[in-house]
Amino acid sequence: MARRYDSRTTIFSPEGRLYQIEYAMEAISHAGTVLGVLAKDGVVLAAEKRVTGKLLDLSSAKEGGGYGGSGEKMFLLNSNVIGGVAGITSDANSLVNYARTVAQQHLLQYNDDIPVELLAQRLCDMKQGYTQFGGLRPFGVSLLYAGYDPHYHFQLYHSDPSGNYSGWKATCIGANNGTAQSLLKQEYKDDLGVEEAIGLVLRVMSKTMDSTTLGSEKLEFAVLTYDEAAKAPKAKIYKPAEIDALLRAEGLAKKDEDTEMK
Amino acid sequence: MIMPDMDSLAHPQERRFNPYTENGGTILAIAGADFSVIAGDTRQSEGYSIQTRYAPKVFRLTDRAVLAVNGFAADGNMFVKKVKQRLEWYHHAHAKDMPLRAIARLIQTMLYARRFFPYYVYNILGGIEEDGTGAVYSFDPVGSYEREACRAAGAAQSLVQPFLDNQIYFKNQEAAQGTSHPSHLPLETVLSIVIDSFTSATERHIEVGDGLEIFIALSKGRTLQGMESIRGLQELTVTEDGERLFVMRRDLKKD
Amino acid sequence: MSIMEYNGGSVIAMVGKDCVAIASDLRLGSQALGISSNFQRIFPVTDRVYVGLPGLATDVTTLRERFRYRVNMYTIKEEREIEPETFAHLVSSTLYQHRFGPYFIEPVMAGLSKTPSGGFKPFIAATDLIGCLNFAKDFVVAGTASAKLFGVAEGLWEPDLEAEDLFETISQTLLNAVDRDAYSGWGAIVHVITKDKIITRTLKGRMD
């Protein structure tokens, strides 16, 4: 039955489904996990890297780069928004580029940083367009947006390939997102501080990820806070060394015997 | 069909001879306590063409008066000729050289006489007053004039004048605690400021360059005070025991 | 009436020993009428690059925001700050895009560029209103007092000035030049960029 309706994004099946979009969502549910938690004084994002291996050149992430991160899953979309992506990397790059352009156009036009929801909305407008017009496939990407704006302060949004978006206190996309979400539901408390949120994110992440131990080679991490001195949001995407230091501080670093095993 | 020529003949057309042109170059004069320095470059140009690399713009009038003219060269030369003629008549009538302040007033009346067909020139008169002080008088083309301590005119006036404001008048400079700016600079300093001004103007202005002529008028009794050996200095003094007049020449870049 | 002289204002940049300086007057006018004596037309691009935008005031604002857009996109994609040479070409290309309907601005840039050995090299540049670059080794000027600035700078500037001497030289050059320009003046601002700090000073000037 599906065969007749799934080759085109624009055609509904008799049951009223758009198969291409469901396939895109399915692809994402196999991608590396991205997890986000909203705190009262910040937003925390963590992501599981899938593209690893000792031959991978990570020098740019370790030495260069003003923002840290390997550029696989965490991106600075604007000075007030960090994006975490799950899905097809090449599609994600294109969306990130679009988001940055949109944010800068807003800054040019209004001399203000783009509101977080508006940025999510602009991306979703595009994503939706790809589900309706012929000859195109949808973006195989879900995103988490961790952002700050003066009106709504800290926010966390999620958008999926259909162009749907919604705001969350804590959410997760990618592999094992069901497990992660039920863990978050259990552990999340209102009035969470950013330090507690960091702990929560790392604990859930360690339980969700397939690998037994956490380390910078498999993890990306970012925090958005507000710099009172500069009167501006402060986005920090952690460098590998900083991630390892954080894991040690949280008592989640891999044990010595683990390293010896290798 | 109307021919294009027919069309143009249908309207009255005005054709006019333009009696003026600009010949570039820059002049400059600085007064000291008991001397006066009057200088000008020697390039003469019309548009982007150099007519000659040596056309003097600074002229000896008497042992204590030097006139620099800048603007339309033909008018300038004719004007200097007429001033010299009037000075000779004065000499015949009074048996002495005309004092500097009188020359200044003469120039004003001669310029204003042509109020409605002016000499297209800016004049700077430098020399020694009867009281022995160095003086500079500057004029506009129709005779407005003023005695000053320094003045630049011509193509590079806008480049040189603010530099002079700074170096001669000490504009925007504050004297160190307990000291004050000198109101008159020594001859040596003035000469190097003049040379610096012209090398700067030559560097940045296409109508300035080729050669530099610097006239130095000294007050009665004042010597060169150790500057006798300065390169290429030539004395032009005619009368004895009075003011002395010198000229020195320097090359400027020819590009 | 020239559009370039409608609002008035001038900028100058100079090279020193391991430092650069950029300075401007603070006047905003409407032809002969003075409007503001605190009009900023020099902007930081990064910690080590400044740009001055003399010309039509509306284009000062617009171009400054366009440059911010392009520099932000450069920074976020390259994940590093833009070098002064690169910024000069960014300025040039932005202006040349409007070759037949230009912004009436003649930008002046000053900064320190990174050398391969980890040091810093002074850099200055200026362009005309359609982006023709001029990489001078001594000083660059632009604005309604440009002729006067050229004259004074040519007389005062010398190579290898230390930061404080460079400050004095650029300040004297600017103040004396704008005092002879009716469209520039009303105070001035000077930035001296050295490898470990930026010295910014506002100068009092003639208010006529």
Side-chain angles (χ1 to χ4, degrees):
Chain A
M1 193 60 201
R3 282 280 87 94
R4 292 180 59 190
Y5 304 100
D6 64 359
S7 59
R8 290 172 146 247
T9 49
T10 52
I11 302 294
F12 280 109
S13 78
E15 308 91 83
R17 297 159 67 172
L18 294 168
Y19 279 109
Q20 283 295 326
I21 292 169
E22 291 182 19
Y23 295 160
M25 311 265 250
E26 181 60 24
I28 291 160
S29 69
H30 295 294
T33 317
V34 185
L35 209 149
V37 169
L38 182 66
K40 63 172 190 284
D41 54 353
V43 196
V44 184
L45 286 183
E48 176 196 5
K49 275 197 285 187
R50 283 286 169 85
V51 186
T52 54
K54 63 176 181 182
L55 291 182
L56 199 65
D57 185 0
L58 295 167
S59 55
S60 70
K62 277 186 182 125
E63 296 141 27
Y67 309 121
S70 65
E72 189 190 317
K73 303 192 74 75
M74 293 287 191
F75 297 92
L76 189 67
L77 300 184
N78 199 37
S79 61
N80 64 327
V81 189
I82 307 171
V85 303
I88 300 170
T89 314
S90 53
D91 285 13
N93 287 143
S94 158
L95 280 175
V96 164
N97 184 224
Y98 179 73
R100 288 170 171 176
T101 309
V102 163
Q104 286 304 314
Q105 274 167 357
H106 188 281
L107 184 65
L108 182 71
Q109 206 156 56
Y110 303 106
N111 200 29
D112 260 327
D113 281 335
I114 191 166
V116 190
E117 184 170 356
L118 185 58
L119 182 64
Q121 228 171 58
R122 291 292 302 274
L123 259 78
C124 285
D125 287 348
M126 186 160 87
K127 290 213 242 186
Q128 189 281 143
Y130 278 70
T131 68
Q132 196 174 20
F133 297 103
L136 302 166
R137 65 164 175 79
F139 284 95
V141 184
S142 275
L143 285 107
L144 292 189
Y145 310 82
Y148 175 91
D149 60 56
H151 195 72
Y152 291 110
H153 298 107
F154 294 103
Q155 294 150 83
L156 175 66
Y157 287 96
H158 161 236
S159 75
D160 70 22
S162 68
N164 271 328
Y165 77 91
S166 42
W168 296 84
K169 290 175 178 175
T171 191
C172 175
I173 53 177
N176 303 321
N177 67 82
T179 326
Q181 287 200 37
S182 51
L183 278 167
L184 285 170
K185 213 179 285 178
Q186 281 167 30
E187 298 209 24
Y188 186 84
K189 288 187 289 291
D190 282 323
D191 270 1
L192 212 60
V194 76
E195 294 303 322
E196 298 165 274
I198 290 172
L200 173 61
V201 162
L202 288 175
R203 261 180 286 122
V204 175
M205 207 64 192
S206 69
K207 286 179 192 161
T208 315
M209 277 167 62
D210 297 333
S211 50
T212 48
T213 52
L214 281 178
S216 62
E217 70 280 0
K218 284 212 153 187
L219 194 69
E220 285 195 39
F221 195 78
V223 179
L224 187 84
T225 48
Y226 189 79
D227 185 344
E228 286 296 339
K231 292 265 170 281
K234 186 175 151 199
K236 178 172 169 62
I237 300 177
Y238 284 58
K239 287 177 194 294
E242 294 170 325
I243 294 177
D244 287 327
L246 182 70
L247 288 170
R248 274 196 300 278
E250 294 284 330
L252 290 165
K254 50 189 163 197
K255 313 247 169 357
D256 286 344
E257 53 266 39
D258 292 332
T259 4
E260 278 164 32
M261 295 272 283
K262 285 196 176 166
Chain B
M1 197 187 94
I2 302 168
M3 300 283 285
D5 282 347
M6 300 281 285
D7 193 40
S8 61
L9 284 173
H11 303 285
Q13 279 204 324
E14 186 178 303
R15 303 213 176 269
R16 261 235 292 205
F17 168 64
N18 177 200
Y20 292 124
T21 187
E22 275 272 6
N23 296 107
T26 277
I27 52 172
L28 144 65
I30 300 168
D34 54 359
F35 67 88
S36 186
V37 173
I38 308 93
D41 71 322
T42 65
R43 174 174 291 183
Q44 193 180 98
S45 58
E46 188 165 3
Y48 296 128
S49 308
I50 295 171
Q51 292 171 320
T52 172
R53 297 193 191 277
Y54 185 70
K57 282 194 282 289
V58 192
F59 301 94
R60 176 192 174 279
L61 297 178
T62 68
D63 277 349
R64 59 185 178 216
V66 176
L67 183 62
V69 285
N70 192 248
F72 177 25
D75 272 5
N77 290 326
M78 180 53 83
F79 185 71
V80 170
K81 205 152 123 183
K82 295 219 171 201
V83 172
K84 280 183 170 171
Q85 186 182 50
R86 294 289 292 270
L87 292 179
E88 189 168 328
W89 289 344
Y90 183 96
H91 201 92
H92 293 318
H94 299 86
K96 63 162 187 164
D97 281 340
M98 193 188 281
L100 194 72
R101 57 177 190 85
I103 300 176
R105 178 58 64 87
L106 172 70
I107 289 172
Q108 114 106 122
T109 52
M110 289 175 72
L111 289 170
Y112 197 80
R114 294 277 294 263
R115 173 65 176 76
F116 297 106
F117 184 23
Y119 289 107
Y120 206 70
V121 284
Y122 284 87
N123 284 282
I124 299 178
L125 175 70
I128 307 296
E129 294 281 20
E130 285 169 303
D131 66 0
T133 57
V136 165
Y137 290 91
S138 66
F139 301 82
D140 82 350
V142 286
S144 266
Y145 81 113
E146 183 183 11
R147 187 182 163 179
E148 295 179 286
C150 78
R151 170 60 58 187
Q157 184 194 39
S158 60
L159 281 75
V160 175
Q161 191 65 55
F163 179 63
L164 261 29
D165 290 344
N166 188 225
Q167 298 294 308
I168 305 294
Y169 290 122
F170 295 102
K171 287 274 169 70
N172 292 113
Q173 285 187 274
E174 209 152 291
Q177 200 104 62
T179 66
S180 66
H181 290 309
S183 49
H184 290 288
L185 295 169
L187 178 59
E188 200 175 347
T189 316
V190 167
L191 284 177
S192 48
I193 290 172
V194 169
I195 293 168
D196 278 3
S197 297
F198 276 94
T199 27
S200 293
T202 303
E203 199 67 41
R204 294 288 177 177
H205 202 115
I206 54 169
E207 291 173 3
V208 182
D210 294 331
L212 171 59
E213 281 188 327
I214 307 170
F215 283 68
I216 305 161
L218 292 187
S219 184
K220 207 178 291 184
R222 172 184 163 142
T223 64
L224 280 168
Q225 295 168 357
M227 296 197 62
E228 294 83 358
S229 59
I230 200 164
R231 182 161 55 87
L233 191 71
Q234 185 193 336
E235 181 151 9
L236 303 173
T237 318
V238 173
T239 55
E240 297 211 358
D241 307 322
E243 293 82 0
R244 295 172 76 193
L245 187 66
F246 298 85
V247 65
M248 58 187 268
R249 297 190 171 82
R250 288 284 181 277
D251 279 341
L252 290 173
K253 280 167 72 177
K254 296 187 194 300
D255 55 359
Chain C
M1 183 206 81
S2 161
I3 291 192
M4 295 301 288
E5 273 128 49
Y6 187 75
N7 298 117
S10 305
V11 178
I12 179 171
M14 281 182 174
V15 168
K17 189 173 192 295
D18 303 319
C19 58
V20 286
I22 183 166
S24 167
D25 66 308
L26 293 172
R27 182 179 183 269
L28 168 71
S30 175
Q31 299 188 88
L33 176 70
I35 303 288
S36 164
S37 57
N38 189 210
F39 183 70
Q40 303 289 336
R41 63 183 121 250
I42 299 182
F43 306 103
V45 177
T46 68
D47 291 347
R48 268 190 302 281
V49 189
Y50 275 65
V51 63
L53 306 171
L56 191 69
T58 183
D59 289 348
V60 172
T61 318
T62 308
L63 260 190
R64 174 209 160 180
E65 283 166 7
R66 272 194 96 92
F67 291 149
R68 182 180 61 184
Y69 180 109
R70 293 198 61 183
V71 168
N72 281 353
M73 284 309 276
Y74 182 95
T75 316
I76 208 165
K77 286 184 178 179
E78 288 281 320
E79 298 200 3
R80 65 189 167 91
E81 293 202 321
I82 197 165
E83 286 295 307
E85 287 88 343
T86 321
F87 178 69
H89 284 97
L90 183 152
V91 167
S92 169
S93 71
T94 308
L95 292 178
Y96 197 79
Q97 279 175 358
H98 303 272
R99 170 66 177 75
F100 296 109
Y103 288 112
F104 297 103
I105 297 281
E106 295 185 333
V108 168
M109 294 143 269
L112 295 175
S113 56
K114 276 206 186 94
T115 59
S117 56
F120 294 101
K121 197 168 81 61
F123 173 89
I124 55 162
T127 86
D128 63 8
L129 74 168
I130 51 169
C132 176
L133 280 163
N134 165 21
F135 300 112
K137 287 180 173 55
D138 42 12
F139 52 84
V140 284
V141 305
T144 53
S146 59
K148 289 122 191 166
L149 287 164
F150 266 130
V152 190
E154 195 68 60
L156 295 186
W157 186 86
E158 47 189 283
D160 295 325
L161 290 163
E162 297 292 339
E164 278 304 323
D165 299 332
L166 184 68
F167 166 77
E168 198 59 34
T169 306
I170 198 169
S171 302
Q172 287 294 326
T173 304
L174 183 72
L175 289 175
N176 289 287
V178 299
D179 283 354
R180 283 282 177 182
D181 181 31
Y183 292 127
S184 300
W186 269 21
I189 189 161
V190 183
H191 306 275
V192 183
I193 307 165
T194 66
K195 70 174 174 14
D196 36 37
K197 67 171 186 296
I198 288 168
I199 307 160
T200 298
R201 293 188 185 129
T202 307
L203 306 179
K204 281 185 180 166
R206 292 176 67 103
M207 297 306 275
D208 57 358

